[in-house]
Amino acid sequence: MSLVDTDHQAAAQPREGADLVLDAFLRHQVKHVFIFPGGTIAPILDRIEKRSAIEIVCPRTEQGAGYAALAYARLTGQTAVFMVTSGPGVTNAVTPVADAYYDNIPLVVITGQVGTGDMRGDLPIKQRGFQEVDTVALMKPITKAAFLVKDPAELPNVLEEAFFLAREGRQGPVVVDLPMNVQRGASSHPAPIAKRTSVVPFVPADKIETLAQWIGEAERPVILAGGGVIASGALKELRALADKYRIPVTMSMPGMGAYPSEAPLSLGMCGYAGSQYANLAMHRADLLIGVGTTFHLRQTGSLPAKTVANGRVARIDLDVHELDHSRVPLDLSIHADAKAALAALDRALSRHTVGDHAAWLKQIAAWKSEHRLMPGKPGKLPKPQAVIEAVDAAITAKPVIVTTGVGQHQCWVPRHFRFDAPARALLTSSGHGTMGYDLPAAIGAKIANPGATVICFVGDGSLQMNIQELATVVERGLDIKLVVLDNHALSIVAQFQRQNWQSHPSTGDKYNPDFAAIAAAYGITSVTIDTVKGLREKIAQAVNRPGPVLLHCHVDPQEDLLPMLLGGQTLDAMSNQSSF
Ligand SMILES: Cc1ncc(C[n+]2csc(CCOP(=O)(O)OP(=O)(O)O)c2C)c(N)n1
């Protein structure tokens, strides 16, 4: 069956709002929609089911649907469609929408709404309709735009604008709120669709020339690559530049994979949960070049003016506001798409002489061996880092997509799993830092790329935010490997509490169920790991077995995330102080 329902398109006017929504999906070649249903979204759901071959993905909660949509958009490069019902559907969708906003993920969010006659409008009352909530007001601060459509005739243009805005410039979510009478109402004369064209900033040749000159002068250059490098498809350009001119590359968490973890010039992740060697390199650089990265607290620490002790800072970004309001003071700001800017930089550099940075690379090699990322004192239970490394070693097939929750485990994954996008890609909730992204994101990843090996590293706390999605895994027969790093704690918060207030009464020593038994109850193969003995073999067997598997790994609860960049510390002075 074709995705386009030609019979219906030929049908006589007038057309219902729900049909006009479906038309927009078909125009934009939507292949999957992610939905958690309810009455006020049912008209569109019905239309998709009856009149298209679009596949409906219906997890167990709005969060499940939302995070799956986010991962799907990330991997397919397409705008994902996420649909929820009015009232509680909308409020449950707020967190995934915020996640899409802060991590620049193109999403069109269709929200059901009570009929316009039942809407409170400007009246000084709480609610007029059942399950009425002011969706636009709730969503405005966490979307690129939020529209309430009151007339079906406006639908084609509003939806066109929504699909356009989701991708324009820095990508993100757009909400379209659709009252029942708009979905069900007929429009004889929908307005003709006004096409929009993207504006890509012109690469400023003079600034690129300045940067090329600075690279020529630099003795200690470092590139900080962010998620923007991956989003703009600038992997080839970044790698060519770094390799040709021997510039070490560090990455933010969303930038992991922009440069291969294993390459000799890779410094891995920087910042709060990065390594001391990456942070030392940034701090001691005489030229730091940020590409598609925000220079936020997590990457540069709490003393932004001291990110670089004695050097220049240049930054390339698609978002001019980020440059105008940079946390880290800039000596050069280049408003451009990363891919185009790096290609222009390479051309400009061909006219300059660049040294081999031998002394700098030698210094970095010394820091790397001096500050290796190591687990703490061995205990009876496996170390989380050892589990991650064992999973890494056990997977040979490509591509591999890794998703995580939020917490210590999220920080250990970039440290101990080797990334190299797109063959070994990381999907994690970066800007919003949302527990519960993990399992649903793995579902979206597997739907987007059924041939990929999908691994979800998840803490016991994060898993319990959306554990119900194990049902979706089974229902859709998704071959996902869940590696539960169970330390019986909301550990990163427990560590923070111990560091500052010496105890963790509500975040440590948590009661946990037998996750392996829960997986088994859903019909998922499960394996329990609670000893160091045979760890690698057991893990290799479990991750290479076909079909979904949950590995319940009891890991050492006495393991701190170390080193860590604490508030008030400059990048050269990460803390290595145990909290126990
Ligand atoms: C939805 C949500 N609520 C609260 C937090 C605050 N928070 C950050 S990490 C964390 C603990 C995570 O525990 P777990 O998933 O077990 O990971 P661990 O730190 O033990 O590896 C909490 C409560 C958050 N990030 N997201």
Side-chain angles (χ1 to χ4, degrees):
M1 188 174 172
S2 127
L3 278 179
V4 181
D5 179 350
T6 42
D7 285 354
H8 183 72
Q9 285 201 336
Q13 301 284 7
R15 316 206 50 217
E16 274 190 20
D19 289 306
L20 297 171
V21 175
L22 177 58
D23 289 349
F25 290 173
L26 297 176
R27 267 198 312 280
H28 289 273
Q29 291 167 13
V30 171
K31 295 190 176 57
H32 291 88
V33 296
F34 295 81
I35 180 167
F36 194 81
T40 61
I41 199 71
I44 301 172
L45 176 60
D46 175 75
R47 224 42 61 95
I48 300 169
E49 285 170 344
K50 302 251 172 70
R51 296 191 175 153
S52 83
I54 295 175
E55 192 174 329
I56 292 160
V57 182
C58 182
R60 294 298 177 272
T61 66
E62 285 80 6
Q63 297 224 347
Y67 300 130
L70 262 68
Y72 177 91
R74 212 31 178 270
L75 290 172
T76 58
Q78 307 289 313
T79 302
V81 173
F82 173 33
M83 309 208 307
V84 295
T85 197
S86 62
V90 167
T91 51
N92 270 357
V94 165
T95 311
V97 172
D99 232 279
Y101 186 60
Y102 297 118
D103 282 352
N104 316 308
I105 297 176
L107 205 62
V108 166
V109 187
I110 307 288
T111 56
Q113 183 58 280
V114 299
T116 47
D118 290 329
M119 289 179 77
R120 171 182 73 105
D122 294 329
L123 296 176
I125 55 174
K126 283 186 186 171
Q127 210 180 30
R128 174 143 285 180
F130 168 63
Q131 296 185 325
E132 181 196 0
V133 75
D134 189 342
T135 303
V136 167
L138 276 172
M139 296 289 194
K140 262 243 148 88
I142 49 164
T143 52
K144 294 184 77 178
F147 302 104
L148 166 65
V149 182
K150 289 190 170 166
D151 177 350
E154 295 170 8
L155 270 169
N157 267 312
V158 173
L159 285 160
E160 202 58 26
E161 183 72 2
F163 275 96
F164 173 78
L165 286 178
R167 306 197 73 77
E168 174 66 357
R170 213 168 158 193
Q171 303 181 342
V174 179
V175 164
V176 182
D177 195 29
L178 297 181
M180 272 305 254
N181 55 324
V182 172
Q183 293 179 50
R184 306 198 75 177
S187 168
S188 309
H189 304 289
I193 297 165
K195 279 271 173 211
R196 297 277 309 266
T197 36
S198 295
V199 182
V200 180
F202 186 72
V203 179
D206 52 338
K207 291 189 170 188
I208 292 287
E209 180 55 32
T210 305
L211 184 53
Q213 193 184 322
W214 288 5
I215 291 174
E217 290 163 10
E219 290 178 354
R220 303 184 308 281
V222 170
I223 294 172
L224 167 48
V229 171
I230 300 173
S232 80
L235 297 173
K236 209 172 92 218
E237 288 76 5
L238 174 82
R239 292 166 187 208
L241 184 83
D243 296 347
K244 196 153 142 196
Y245 298 104
R246 296 169 56 82
I247 306 176
V249 181
T250 186
M251 287 157 277
S252 64
M253 194 179 275
M256 281 307 294
Y259 192 75
S261 305
E262 286 219 287
L265 290 166
S266 174
L267 291 160
M269 190 169 73
C270 64
Y272 151 86
S275 63
Q276 182 62 91
Y277 51 84
N279 287 346
L280 270 166
M282 279 211 293
H283 193 63
R284 303 277 166 81
D286 62 357
L287 175 62
L288 174 65
I289 308 165
V291 188
T293 184
T294 55
F295 281 156
H296 278 180
L297 180 90
R298 286 273 161 137
Q299 293 131 38
T300 52
S302 65
L303 303 169
K306 295 187 177 169
T307 301
V308 171
N310 188 16
R312 290 160 162 162
V313 181
R315 186 170 163 191
I316 299 169
D317 208 283
L318 188 57
D319 184 345
V320 74
H321 303 302
E322 282 285 350
L323 296 169
D324 290 348
H325 304 280
S326 181
R327 266 185 92 244
V328 172
L330 302 178
D331 299 293
L332 182 66
S333 61
I334 300 178
H335 178 214
D337 169 66
K339 189 178 171 76
L342 293 177
L345 185 58
D346 185 52
R347 288 192 295 274
L349 276 164
S350 64
R351 299 186 293 273
H352 291 263
T353 308
V354 180
D356 66 1
H357 309 132
W360 180 227
L361 298 183
K362 201 167 151 214
Q363 170 65 79
I364 286 174
W367 284 333
K368 275 188 173 177
S369 71
E370 190 184 338
H371 301 285
R372 278 185 56 208
L373 291 163
M374 301 278 284
K377 274 199 266 69
K380 282 205 186 95
L381 292 171
K383 295 288 182 183
Q385 300 96 319
V387 173
I388 295 165
E389 284 179 5
V391 175
D392 178 307
I395 301 168
T396 47
K398 284 180 187 161
V400 184
I401 299 153
V402 171
T403 72
T404 76
V406 173
Q408 286 182 329
H409 67 280
Q410 181 193 29
C411 302
W412 279 316
V413 167
R415 284 180 173 186
H416 298 278
F417 197 95
R418 292 164 298 172
F419 290 99
D420 181 3
R424 288 169 74 94
L426 173 65
L427 302 182
T428 191
S429 169
S430 300
H432 207 43
T434 311
M435 294 167 72
Y437 168 88
D438 31 75
L439 169 55
I443 290 170
K446 192 69 187 176
I447 292 170
N449 193 344
T453 301
V454 176
I455 308 281
C456 171
F457 287 107
V458 62
D460 46 301
S462 293
L463 177 62
Q464 290 178 90
M465 291 252 161
N466 276 317
I467 195 166
Q468 74 288 342
E469 299 308 338
L470 289 175
T472 310
V473 172
V474 176
E475 188 175 77
R476 302 186 74 89
L478 301 174
D479 181 348
I480 290 170
K481 305 296 189 278
L482 276 151
V483 183
V484 185
L485 296 165
D486 181 2
N487 51 17
H488 289 266
L490 301 171
S491 211
I492 204 155
V493 187
Q495 180 177 345
F496 182 55
Q497 286 196 298
R498 287 191 303 275
Q499 273 162 348
N500 288 279
W501 303 283
Q502 291 74 50
S503 70
H504 60 217
S506 46
T507 55
D509 311 318
K510 301 293 274 187
Y511 164 76
N512 273 339
D514 178 348
F515 292 117
I518 290 183
Y522 275 100
I524 294 177
T525 303
S526 51
V527 177
T528 299
I529 293 183
D530 53 10
T531 150
V532 179
K533 203 162 151 258
L535 180 78
R536 289 215 157 209
E537 296 71 25
K538 257 190 170 175
I539 286 180
Q541 229 173 37
V543 297
N544 286 310
R545 176 189 181 123
V549 177
L550 183 145
L551 282 88
H552 186 182
C553 305
H554 294 272
V555 293
D556 188 349
Q558 299 253 322
E559 189 66 11
D560 274 325
L561 176 70
L562 292 175
M564 189 192 261
L565 185 68
L566 304 179
Q569 290 177 334
T570 46
L571 284 163
D572 58 341
M574 289 179 91
S575 168
N576 233 325
Q577 190 74 41
S578 163
S579 70
F580 289 98

